[in-house]
mmCIF file of all heavy atoms in Angstrom:
data_model
loop_
_atom_site.group_PDB
_atom_site.id
_atom_site.type_symbol
_atom_site.label_atom_id
_atom_site.label_comp_id
_atom_site.label_asym_id
_atom_site.label_seq_id
_atom_site.Cartn_x
_atom_site.Cartn_y
_atom_site.Cartn_z
ATOM 1 N N LEU A 158 57.861 130.231 230.809
ATOM 2 C CA LEU A 158 58.346 130.587 229.492
ATOM 3 C C LEU A 158 59.669 131.215 229.624
ATOM 4 O O LEU A 158 60.627 131.047 228.831
ATOM 5 C CB LEU A 158 57.467 131.669 228.848
ATOM 6 C CG LEU A 158 56.102 131.132 228.489
ATOM 7 C CD1 LEU A 158 55.194 132.308 227.946
ATOM 8 C CD2 LEU A 158 56.256 130.155 227.337
ATOM 9 N N GLY A 159 60.009 131.863 230.715
ATOM 10 C CA GLY A 159 61.405 132.559 231.177
ATOM 11 C C GLY A 159 62.347 131.420 231.215
ATOM 12 O O GLY A 159 63.439 131.483 230.710
ATOM 13 N N ARG A 160 62.064 130.306 231.974
ATOM 14 C CA ARG A 160 62.851 129.090 232.142
ATOM 15 C C ARG A 160 63.031 128.439 230.859
ATOM 16 O O ARG A 160 64.325 128.089 230.509
ATOM 17 C CB ARG A 160 62.442 128.191 233.182
ATOM 18 C CG ARG A 160 62.541 128.673 234.638
ATOM 19 C CD ARG A 160 62.138 127.529 235.654
ATOM 20 N NE ARG A 160 60.884 127.046 235.513
ATOM 21 C CZ ARG A 160 59.695 127.540 236.143
ATOM 22 N NH1 ARG A 160 59.834 128.687 237.099
ATOM 23 N NH2 ARG A 160 58.483 126.981 236.015
ATOM 24 N N THR A 161 62.117 128.367 230.020
ATOM 25 C CA THR A 161 62.194 127.784 228.708
ATOM 26 C C THR A 161 63.231 128.530 227.789
ATOM 27 O O THR A 161 64.018 128.064 227.265
ATOM 28 C CB THR A 161 60.983 127.534 228.099
ATOM 29 O OG1 THR A 161 60.069 126.791 228.859
ATOM 30 C CG2 THR A 161 61.034 126.852 226.711
ATOM 31 N N ALA A 162 63.098 129.833 227.817
ATOM 32 C CA ALA A 162 63.873 130.761 226.979
ATOM 33 C C ALA A 162 65.289 130.633 227.466
ATOM 34 O O ALA A 162 66.242 130.662 226.735
ATOM 35 C CB ALA A 162 63.343 132.180 227.014
ATOM 36 N N ALA A 163 65.376 130.589 228.806
ATOM 37 C CA ALA A 163 66.852 130.572 229.363
ATOM 38 C C ALA A 163 67.522 129.268 228.922
ATOM 39 O O ALA A 163 68.740 129.265 228.689
ATOM 40 C CB ALA A 163 66.784 130.757 230.819
ATOM 41 N N ALA A 164 66.695 128.178 229.152
ATOM 42 C CA ALA A 164 67.288 126.952 228.795
ATOM 43 C C ALA A 164 67.617 126.842 227.300
ATOM 44 O O ALA A 164 68.708 126.270 226.928
ATOM 45 C CB ALA A 164 66.242 125.720 229.003
ATOM 46 N N GLU A 165 66.870 127.457 226.398
ATOM 47 C CA GLU A 165 67.248 127.446 224.896
ATOM 48 C C GLU A 165 68.442 128.221 224.765
ATOM 49 O O GLU A 165 69.352 127.950 223.954
ATOM 50 C CB GLU A 165 65.982 128.031 224.155
ATOM 51 C CG GLU A 165 64.869 127.082 224.096
ATOM 52 C CD GLU A 165 65.234 125.780 223.315
ATOM 53 O OE1 GLU A 165 65.920 125.813 222.247
ATOM 54 O OE2 GLU A 165 64.823 124.661 223.765
ATOM 55 N N THR A 166 68.555 129.445 225.323
ATOM 56 C CA THR A 166 69.673 130.267 225.308
ATOM 57 C C THR A 166 70.999 129.458 225.692
ATOM 58 O O THR A 166 72.074 129.632 225.134
ATOM 59 C CB THR A 166 69.622 131.583 226.179
ATOM 60 O OG1 THR A 166 68.457 132.234 225.642
ATOM 61 C CG2 THR A 166 70.817 132.413 225.977
ATOM 62 N N GLU A 167 70.868 128.758 226.917
ATOM 63 C CA GLU A 167 72.025 128.071 227.383
ATOM 64 C C GLU A 167 72.435 126.977 226.452
ATOM 65 O O GLU A 167 73.615 126.648 226.178
ATOM 66 C CB GLU A 167 71.676 127.484 228.781
ATOM 67 C CG GLU A 167 72.761 126.697 229.397
ATOM 68 C CD GLU A 167 72.547 126.264 230.822
ATOM 69 O OE1 GLU A 167 71.486 126.739 231.504
ATOM 70 O OE2 GLU A 167 73.283 125.459 231.403
ATOM 71 N N LYS A 168 71.468 126.245 225.949
ATOM 72 C CA LYS A 168 71.665 125.251 225.032
ATOM 73 C C LYS A 168 72.415 125.702 223.733
ATOM 74 O O LYS A 168 73.343 125.224 223.206
ATOM 75 C CB LYS A 168 70.393 124.533 224.466
ATOM 76 C CG LYS A 168 70.606 123.373 223.521
ATOM 77 C CD LYS A 168 69.314 122.639 223.259
ATOM 78 C CE LYS A 168 69.523 121.390 222.289
ATOM 79 N NZ LYS A 168 68.232 120.718 222.019
ATOM 80 N N LYS A 169 72.098 126.959 223.223
ATOM 81 C CA LYS A 169 72.710 127.593 222.071
ATOM 82 C C LYS A 169 74.173 127.970 222.366
ATOM 83 O O LYS A 169 75.018 127.951 221.498
ATOM 84 C CB LYS A 169 71.862 128.760 221.518
ATOM 85 C CG LYS A 169 70.575 128.506 220.995
ATOM 86 C CD LYS A 169 69.829 129.726 220.437
ATOM 87 C CE LYS A 169 68.424 129.316 219.870
ATOM 88 N NZ LYS A 169 67.769 130.500 219.355
#
Side-chain angles (χ1 to χ4, degrees):
L158 292 174
R160 286 194 298 270
T161 302
E165 286 298 314
T166 299
E167 181 173 350
K168 185 177 180 180
K169 288 180 181 179

